Amino acid sequence: FFSSRRRHTRYPLVTGVQTCALPILPAGTSSQGVTFMPDDSTNYNYAFTSAYVTVKKATPLLSGVSATSITQGQTLSNSIISGTARNSSGMTVFGDWAFQNPGNIPSAGTSSQGVVFNPTDASNYNTATTSVNVTVTAQSAAVALGNLSQTYDGTAKSVRDRKSTRLLQSRVDIS
């Protein structure tokens, strides 16, 4: 409900109250009825008209956004995003979370990644973006070559054969 106290524009000396019952409107433009109620209802009548009201799409407010850890070598799409999206009245806005680059394979450690919230009600809400820290756990691997063994912990390792008298060429790639 909208109400304002002002002089009527057609009759500058007439004061009164303008009212407009505004329901919760969807985004877009719609015509709404307006009533002018004069203070002096003995000498002046109520006036009725309509006005166009434009409602813009709202952008949800994001909070408490977090992502689950992933293991080195996995894409961001393996991490699960959670958080809360609300409108300006504090009501929950439903939708889906996604990484801006879901195919990205981040290095071990913690890094900030872009996140998008896509509201289910796309006709009344814009998409919203934020960032979230994703922790990538280093992957370890055990390598055994005959009686040689080494655990890969993310740092470079060398392989040498000290017993052989023959020319031995080897290459070990671990990823």
Side-chain angles (χ1 to χ4, degrees):
F1 184 80
F2 166 78
S3 176
S4 71
R5 191 156 213 29
R6 62 184 347 183
R7 290 180 174 213
H8 192 281
T9 55
R10 189 167 173 197
Y11 304 101
L13 300 177
V14 178
T15 60
V17 177
Q18 286 180 339
T19 61
C20 179
L22 289 176
I24 296 175
L25 298 173
T29 301
S30 62
S31 178
Q32 299 296 315
V34 178
T35 303
F36 177 75
M37 297 177 287
D39 290 337
D40 180 3
S41 60
T42 304
N43 294 312
Y44 297 97
N45 293 323
Y46 282 42
F48 304 95
T49 189
S50 62
Y52 285 97
V53 176
T54 300
V55 176
K56 293 182 179 181
K57 288 168 94 174
T59 301
L61 306 169
L62 308 179
S63 63
V65 182
S66 63
T68 59
S69 298
I70 57 176
T71 303
Q72 188 174 14
Q74 290 183 310
T75 63
L76 288 174
S77 63
N78 288 261
S79 177
I80 299 169
I81 306 165
S82 61
T84 303
R86 297 194 187 282
N87 65 19
S88 60
S89 298
M91 296 172 55
T92 299
V93 177
F94 297 98
D96 298 313
W97 298 92
F99 284 100
Q100 289 177 332
N101 299 305
N104 187 23
I105 302 173
S107 301
T110 300
S111 61
S112 180
Q113 301 293 330
V115 173
V116 177
F117 176 77
N118 296 302
T120 303
D121 184 0
S123 59
N124 288 307
Y125 292 98
N126 295 312
T127 59
T129 59
T130 189
S131 59
V132 66
N133 284 331
V134 177
T135 300
V136 180
T137 306
Q139 191 174 32
S140 63
V143 178
L145 301 171
N147 62 352
L148 304 173
S149 66
Q150 184 65 259
T151 300
Y152 178 70
D153 60 7
T155 59
K157 307 291 180 200
S158 61
V159 177
R160 288 187 288 190
D161 183 359
R162 294 184 184 184
K163 290 182 170 184
S164 177
T165 56
R166 293 189 213 173
L167 180 61
L168 175 66
Q169 292 183 347
S170 63
R171 177 179 171 172
V172 178
D173 292 321
I174 301 173
S175 57

